[in-house]
Every structure is written in C-alpha cells, then in structure tokens.
Amino acid sequence: MTAPVPLYQAKAEFFRLLGHPVRIRVLELLQDGPRPVRDLLAEIGIEPSSLSQQLAVLRRYGIVTSRREGSTVVYELAGGDVAELLRIARRILTELLTGQSELLAELRDAESAGR
C-alpha cells in the first residue's frame, strides 16, 4: 500500500504543472472563454506539435476540457478557479514589482546623492 501524498507535495506538483510559459499563456487566453486551437496557435505563435503537447498536459490534469465542433477542436477552462488563480498571481506580481520599482528609485536617489 502506498502512502498518500502530503498536501504540500500535491500543491508543489500542481504549481509545477503550471510552471510552463505556454501553459500559462493558454490558460490566460482561455479566461475569456472557449477558443479553437487555430486561435491559440495564432496568439501563441509556436509549432502545432508543441501546443498540442502542452494542451494534452492541461487536459490530462483536468485543467482544460476540449470538444470537437466539426473539424475544429475547441478548448476551455474546466472551471473558474484557475482563472481566479491567474488573477491573484497577477495581483501578487504587480505588488512585488511595485515594491521593486520603489526600491530601485530609492537606490537611484541614494546613488545620485552620493550615499
């Protein structure tokens, strides 16, 4: 019998899943609603095989779903929580970068004052 995975480890695996720029970009694009693969390809600008691989990972983990509409495959977020997570990440990054720009301004002021 295998031991259950600790919650912190499961969270780390989840964030590792999200730790690819193409996957993040796909999820950002899907926040606005379902998108056909051709639109994702046009927006992201990578090889179709690379996009397909990243979509397969997201689909396997249940982050996105897909459906066929004629000859077109359309992807969408499986739930709203991922979109919320991306919004929170954007807010955290904005706060971090704002703090860094303030520190940079202080450093420049100190440098110009000769301190």
Side-chain angles (χ1 to χ4, degrees):
M1 185 169 147
T2 58
V5 174
L7 181 57
Y8 64 86
Q9 187 174 342
K11 286 179 182 178
E13 301 274 332
F14 174 73
F15 282 109
R16 225 180 335 272
L17 160 73
L18 297 179
H20 193 286
V22 171
R23 292 182 208 146
I24 293 293
R25 187 65 182 129
V26 165
L27 295 174
E28 287 175 343
L29 292 169
L30 295 179
Q31 287 181 93
D32 298 329
R35 303 279 293 264
V37 171
R38 70 177 170 274
D39 288 3
L40 296 173
L41 276 170
E43 286 283 338
I44 299 171
I46 62 171
E47 292 295 317
S49 60
S50 296
L51 179 60
S52 178
Q53 181 182 16
Q54 300 309 324
L55 287 168
V57 171
L58 293 170
R59 198 174 51 246
R60 185 170 46 249
Y61 282 92
I63 305 294
V64 300
T65 60
S66 64
R67 67 180 183 280
R68 188 167 287 281
E69 293 179 358
S71 63
T72 302
V73 178
V74 176
Y75 280 85
E76 64 184 310
L77 293 177
D81 289 343
V82 171
E84 180 65 18
L85 178 62
L86 292 172
R87 281 190 291 278
I88 291 168
R90 190 176 305 118
R91 192 166 55 239
I92 291 168
L93 284 172
T94 300
E95 291 170 7
L96 290 173
L97 293 173
T98 299
Q100 288 177 1
S101 66
E102 290 169 1
L103 178 60
L104 183 59
E106 286 179 36
L107 288 170
R108 286 186 177 144
D109 291 345
E111 185 178 307
S112 64
R115 292 183 262 159

